[in-house]
Amino acid sequence: AGAGAGPGARVAPTLEGFRRAAGHGPGREVATVAGFGSLLSERSARFTFPGLRNFREGRVRGWRRVFAHTTPVFLQRGIANLETREMGSLSCEAAAGAELVVCLFDIALDGESVAAWVEREHEYQFVATPVFTSDGEALPERALLCTAWTDEEYRRERCTGKEEFWERYGQYGVDQVWRNDVLPCRAYLRHCVLAAQNLSPAAHASFLDQTFLADRRTTIREHLERDPSIMQELPPESLAVRYGG
């Protein structure tokens, strides 16, 4: 488990890479995205992909959700707590036998939108993974999934040098992205739980029981039972809609 290979193929973070690995339709100009965290909320997903189409529930197999890295967005928006280490974000990592309820939606592939998405999800490794309907039927297309990586690979393959890493992380006092000593960012976790709950009972149960802390043992259901106040953690006013479930 971890940042190793899961079902699917690594995708080069370029327009041609996305088209080759996951494009479908005429000219391979459409791709399916598998959302597993904040994107479980269609409203939130439309902040990121305003033109998305065919938002629906689906499944991915061989992946689990883990809060095991931090992201510049939480640092920039002031919702990461470095003192308590409640600054973790979600990724999917390989896990034999696992199955997740996700959302699926289609996006148009063009240079501008791909570049914006890669910039927004800068720390992730993109994978084109097999996907299934909510009834378990295999779909012909593969979906793009943001998956776990390692700091070594991230710095080597995505950052242009030490200066870029400093701009994205170092200036906020963060020297490691992918790590096992973080807890979920509270406002973000609340948003993801509400998004899953609003999607369907199956999505809600999947999020609670198939999402883990960085220790890979504690489920989100157990984490929330220990600290139920997380679900009262309102986001800043500027994020009230986007992070409102």
Side-chain angles (χ1 to χ4, degrees), residues 7-8 28 38-39 83-84 106 120 128 176 179 184 195 232 242 244:
R28 303 178 73 86
S38 64
L39 297 181
E83 185 176 338
T84 64
D106 300 329
R120 195 163 45 246
Q176 186 179 355
R179 52 201 303 159
Q232 278 71 55
R242 186 166 192 160

Side-chain angles (χ1 to χ4, degrees), residues 47-130:
F47 277 94
T48 302
F49 302 100
L52 71 82
R53 301 190 304 273
N54 195 18
F55 188 94
R56 71 265 191 207
E57 187 177 302
R59 302 283 192 278
V60 295
R61 295 173 181 167
W63 300 97
R64 65 182 174 189
R65 280 176 287 239
V66 181
F67 280 93
H69 78 286
T70 192
T71 174
V73 172
F74 295 169
L75 301 166
Q76 294 158 5
R77 292 175 177 168
I79 58 173
N81 188 329
L82 273 67
E83 185 176 338
T84 64
R85 296 196 178 276
E86 289 173 301
M87 59 186 192
S89 187
L90 266 181
S91 66
C92 283
E93 66 177 23
E99 178 174 293
L100 298 177
V101 178
V102 298
C103 69
L104 303 173
F105 55 85
D106 300 329
I107 61 170
L109 290 178
D110 60 69
E112 184 177 348
S113 64
V114 168
W117 190 26
V118 171
E119 170 61 26
R120 195 163 45 246
E121 312 290 9
H122 197 261
E123 70 273 19
Y124 291 100
Q125 175 179 249
F126 292 92
V127 167
T129 191

Side-chain angles (χ1 to χ4, degrees), residues 67 86 183-194 196-197 204-205 207-209 211 213 218-233:
F67 280 93
E86 289 173 301
L183 292 169
C185 169
R186 294 172 70 89
Y188 175 73
L189 172 56
R190 173 185 177 272
H191 165 58
C192 291
V193 172
L194 292 175
Q197 184 176 349
H204 188 214
F207 194 89
L208 293 176
D209 297 324
T211 308
L213 301 188
T218 307
T219 67
I220 290 304
R221 186 185 296 277
E222 293 167 336
H223 183 58
L224 292 175
E225 287 172 350
R226 294 173 184 172
D227 187 0
S229 69
I230 290 170
M231 293 306 296
Q232 278 71 55
E233 190 81 14

